[in-house]
């Protein structure tokens, strides 16, 4: 019996169930067939749910997108805010969007991806649908800001995905410009 109890406690400690995630999101995680959080998820999710600022460093493939996506969707579900995810490349923005589609849908929320190489008209149309999450590359987001086709006044959550890479790629000026367009809080 003691062995079973230890196994149960170990399994509970190595699951998403003790991270402060709401039951509806736990159902989404179960449907995705995720059993135990990665170290970055285990560390980041509870802090992000509390609304704390986080800097997370982890290798590719360790679940960083869900580490910020799960708490982001959970917080947005309880507010009228909007979230912004900045990514350095089109490919990363599209990957983030793919993950978010799966976790937003059960909450009846949506996301839009704003990247170069895609028609501005289609993106404007999607923005009119008042997305809960905007996933964008800095250059394309600035295009939309300059054309006043996007407004960031409702953004309450911000993620700089691969921020180090964004800065290495020379996006510091664009990121600072975008930050100035966001609400102070």
């Amino acid at each position: 019996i003691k062995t079973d109890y230890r196994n149960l406690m170990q399994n509970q400690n190595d699951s998403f169930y003790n991270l402060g995630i709401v039951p509806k999101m736990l159902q989404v995680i179960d449907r995705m067939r995720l059993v135990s959080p990665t170290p970055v998820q285990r560390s980041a999710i509870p802090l992000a749910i509390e609304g704390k600022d986080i800097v997370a460093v982890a290798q590719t493939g360790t679940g960083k997108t869900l580490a910020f996506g799960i708490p982001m969707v959970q917080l947005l579900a309880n507010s009228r805010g909007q979230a912004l995810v900045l990514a350095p490349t089109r490919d990363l923005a599209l990957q983030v969007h793919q993950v978010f589609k799966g976790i937003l849908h059960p909450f009846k929320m949506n996301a839009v991806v704003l990247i170069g190489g895609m028609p501005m008209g289609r993106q404007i149309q999607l923005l009119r649908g008042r997305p809960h999450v905007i996933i964008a590359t800095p250059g394309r987001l600035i295009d939309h800001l300059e054309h006043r086709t996007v407004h960031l006044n409702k953004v309450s959550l911000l993620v700089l995905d691969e921020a180090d890479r964004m800065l290495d790629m020379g996006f510091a000026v664009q990121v600072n410009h975008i930050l100035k367009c966001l609400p102070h809080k």
Side-chain angles (χ1 to χ4, degrees):
I1 293 175
K2 286 183 181 181
T3 304
D4 291 340
Y5 178 73
R6 269 185 278 186
N7 288 338
L8 176 64
M9 292 309 292
Q10 175 61 37
N11 290 340
Q12 212 171 24
N13 289 334
D14 196 31
S15 77
F16 286 94
Y17 284 83
N18 60 348
L19 300 179
I21 300 171
V22 296
K24 189 171 187 176
M25 183 59 79
L26 289 170
Q27 290 173 348
V28 172
I29 292 167
D30 284 345
R31 269 187 252 127
M32 294 172 77
R33 300 186 190 276
L34 299 174
V35 178
S36 57
T38 65
V40 71
Q41 293 166 346
R42 193 176 306 106
S43 299
I45 289 172
L47 295 172
I49 287 172
E50 290 177 25
K52 299 201 173 163
D53 293 340
I54 296 171
V55 175
V57 179
Q59 292 188 359
T60 301
T62 56
K64 290 184 299 291
T65 303
L66 285 176
F68 67 75
I70 290 169
M72 181 182 282
V73 172
Q74 186 167 314
L75 291 168
L76 287 174
N78 294 320
S79 75
R80 294 189 174 164
Q82 192 175 46
L84 173 62
V85 179
L86 284 179
T89 66
R90 294 175 45 175
D91 289 341
L92 182 59
L94 290 169
Q95 286 175 5
V96 170
H97 185 244
Q98 195 62 40
V99 171
F100 266 82
K101 284 192 320 190
I103 60 176
L104 284 169
H105 181 74
F107 289 86
K108 295 184 177 23
M109 293 193 285
N110 61 341
V112 63
V113 63
L114 306 177
I115 56 175
M118 305 277 275
M120 285 279 284
R122 176 71 178 131
Q123 292 175 1
I124 293 167
Q125 185 181 17
L126 292 169
L127 285 166
R128 287 186 184 134
R130 296 189 181 126
H132 297 88
V133 180
I134 298 171
I135 302 160
T137 54
R140 181 47 64 106
L141 183 58
I142 288 175
D143 289 344
H144 280 283
L145 288 168
E146 288 174 352
H147 288 94
R148 297 183 183 194
T149 54
V150 69
H151 304 283
L152 303 179
N153 56 323
K154 294 193 180 197
V155 172
S156 57
L157 299 167
L158 169 68
V159 170
L160 302 176
D161 199 2
E162 294 194 14
D164 56 340
R165 188 167 167 206
M166 233 180 307
L167 297 177
D168 289 344
M169 293 172 71
F171 288 123
V173 172
Q174 290 95 331
V175 170
N176 282 328
H177 175 76
I178 292 164
L179 293 176
K180 288 178 185 172
C181 297
L182 296 173
H184 291 289
K185 189 166 172 130

